[in-house]
Amino acid sequence: MQMAESGYHYPDARGHFGPYGGVFVAETLIPALDELRAAYEASRNDPDFLAEFEYELKHYVGRPSPIYHARRWSDRLGGAQILLKREDLNHTGAHKVNNCIGQAMLARRMGKPRVIAETGAGQHGVATATVAARYGMECVVYMGSEDVQRQAANVYRMKLLGAQVVPVESGSRTLKDALNEAMRDWVTNVHSTFYIIGTVAGPHPYPMLVRDFQSIIGRECLTQMPELMGRQPDYVIACVGGGSNAMGIFYPYLDIPEVRLVGVEAAGEGIETGHHAASLSAGRPGVLHGNRTYLLQNEDGQIVDTHSISAGLDYPGVGPEHAWLKDSRRAEYVGVTDGEALQAFHDLCRLEGIIPALESSHALAYAARLAPTLPRDQLLLVNLSGRGDKDMHTVAARSGIQF
Amino acid sequence: MSRIATTFAELAARGRKALIPFITAGDPSPEMTLPLLRALVAGGADVIELGVPFSDPMADGPTIQRASERALARGMSLRGVLEIVSQFRAEGGLTPIVLMGYANPVEAMGVDRFVVAAGAAGVDGVLIVDYPPEECLEFAAKLRAAALDPVFLLAPTSTDQRIADVAKAGSGYIYYVSLKGVTGAGHLDLDEVARRIPMIRSRVGMPVGVGFGIRDAESARQVAQVADAVVIGSRIIEEIENAPVEAVTDRVTAFLGTIRRALDGQGD
């Protein structure tokens, strides 16, 4: 991707963002990562590759996604103007598909007929299964057995799309264990298999290439904001689990210091309760899933169980570039509780006729907290990273409703 | 000379191959680990790889994952593993011990504190599965400064450059992973092992142990024809899993004995 920003040059050649990132994997995976790095280096500046990526994003995904000025909600909040980058309007209903197309194109170039993925709530699994169907690839999705139970509709979706869904019974039986299992599959079947990681985490080059594929989000905003509002936003706000939608919208803004970047983590039932998934706010640096980053861990360095109402944010780590942006203070990271996210979810439904994903509702909730403290001419650009159809049963259950 | 290097030198002088069993500390319970270390010595272990349990053992297959889960459920920690090693030394255990585990527990303790504590406990070597040489040159140097051997993995897919990197960063021995995949997985490619090991040994200038996929006396004997050491892990964990508590140590000693005899038959 020709998107090297002028002043910001991360990661370095070995995948480090300051002290974070890197390649922390067993020797058996090193050649696979070398091969991937070489393939990506050869593709990222290849005009044919970029043209195909652009074509797919336009005709298959439906890009560019619009920016929508949420006037009624902004008026109600009585302060800054809130603008929504509508990733929820993409094919498959979220930003995830941008990255899946990029990685599936790489897989084809590398001659790998089989793709695998990990998934928590199922969104990345559905996006991967979608793209695999589109390209005629075999697809296996690893999903914690707890999540398979909770997300039956997405499991069925993946099967409709021709994917095999493998329930993972180890560890806490959630996203992190699905990721472990996908890595184990990859190391065993590396000659035939491409591992499509769903977020800006994992060993180098994944955090970089997922960011690059997702940065279409922010690049569009750079063009759209002046067209719509006459200038760039004052704040860019996005939710952070692994952090791919946030990196996608932040990255093109990194070299515009006037634009404040805010990542919103899941504070669950409150940071002080211990039931949350706010790695940057409450974690310590460590090594997991191939990179060094902030992790939620106990004193002995064991990874702890996390909680969020939003399955997509329910992860004990975070992409290493966010760790670096936090330490270098280019971005700031805040927490939003389950309750605040739900309030924003309902407000957006009622005031704007948009049902947001619970993940994105965290970013919306922070915008709702911030807007009233700012003058009316301030602009908050929020990444509405996905739609909320998948969350119907979660939200209904909170209101005591069963389907 | 480190205790590991001495062990390999003595074995080589006698024309013997090293037997390196692996168990996870704390499995099936923290109280059983010390008796299991004795059982491994009784079964003929030359070096013991002692697993430090981790919540997310990405490079391990289901057998060692289960061992790790059992150990953590019983409250095992890195600190607890070091205590057990101290006890083993205090009662006169001389067999070299290599701690094998993942980076995060070590980083949580603090690398410097870990190196001091491991040395004091009587650990001889450290193998951190998710520390490839380029990410841990400093750590490896600290280990060596404390007279601990940094042990590294090599794989069938390792390039010449990787072999050179590992030769520079590591000491004690090289752990050659004999197949693609995770611990405890399927098929061992003996021809491949036979082809690669002599080349690797000549380049790294230290003994080469082979592990992953060795399940019985016959595969151990065949591997020992080309390697300096045979590492056997998942198969021992299965013995531990399947034995009633009171019989665990006897079963492990008996099983390891079958491997020991196969290796020693090799030297005759």
Side-chain angles (χ1 to χ4, degrees), chain A residues 92 121-123 125-127 129-130 133 151-163 165 387-393:
Chain A
T92 72
Q123 293 309 102
V126 169
T130 299
Q151 305 288 340
N154 268 343
V155 172
Y156 185 61
R157 250 179 221 125
M158 288 184 264
K159 289 180 178 168
L160 280 178
L161 292 160
V165 179
R387 65 177 178 233
D389 306 40
K390 67 184 176 60
D391 297 315
M392 289 300 95
H393 63 283

Side-chain angles (χ1 to χ4, degrees), chain A residues 25 66 69 84 88 111 115 131 140 142 158 180 195 198-199 203 250 297 304 313 317 343 360 374:
Chain A
V25 297
H69 183 179
L84 306 177
D88 61 317
V115 295
V131 172
V140 176
Y142 289 93
M158 288 184 264
N180 292 333
Y195 179 16
T199 192
F250 287 178
Q297 53 180 314
V304 299
L313 302 183
Q343 184 62 50
S360 322
L374 297 171

Side-chain angles (χ1 to χ4, degrees), chain A residues 14 16 22-31 170-171 176-177 180-181 183-184 187-188 190 284-290 292 295 297-303, chain B residues 53-61 65 69 72 76-79 103-105 107-108 129-135 153-155 157-158 162 177 179-182:
Chain A
R14 299 211 327 264
H16 296 107
V23 182
F24 292 90
V25 297
E27 177 64 22
T28 39
L29 269 180
I30 296 285
S170 57
K176 76 179 179 69
D177 310 288
N180 292 333
E181 206 55 36
M183 283 280 182
R184 293 178 187 120
V187 72
T188 309
V190 68
R284 298 196 313 280
V287 173
L288 179 70
H289 293 153
R292 178 174 285 124
L295 300 173
Q297 53 180 314
N298 70 16
E299 210 176 56
D300 186 44
Q302 308 298 336
I303 306 307
Chain B
F54 182 50
S55 52
D56 293 80
M58 224 168 67
D60 286 300
Q65 287 174 49
E69 285 179 19
L72 290 175
M76 200 67 223
S77 65
L78 176 54
R79 213 175 303 263
N104 204 53
E107 297 205 353
V129 177
D130 51 353
Y131 263 169
E134 67 269 26
E135 296 287 3
L153 298 170
L154 283 175
T157 44
S158 297
R162 300 295 295 178
V177 175
L179 46 76
K180 292 179 193 148
V182 293

Side-chain angles (χ1 to χ4, degrees), chain A residues 40-91:
Chain A
Y40 184 56
E41 284 306 324
S43 303
R44 67 189 301 193
N45 296 312
D46 174 348
D48 290 345
F49 185 85
L50 296 175
E52 186 186 348
F53 185 54
E54 203 170 293
Y55 182 93
E56 294 293 303
L57 290 181
K58 180 174 177 187
H59 297 281
Y60 191 64
V61 176
R63 303 201 72 92
S65 66
I67 292 180
Y68 168 73
H69 183 179
R71 284 201 179 80
R72 288 194 70 213
W73 195 37
S74 304
D75 285 349
R76 180 69 64 95
L77 292 165
Q81 301 307 302
I82 298 180
L83 299 127
L84 306 177
K85 176 61 172 169
R86 297 292 307 275
E87 290 298 299
D88 61 317
L89 296 178
N90 292 341
H91 180 42

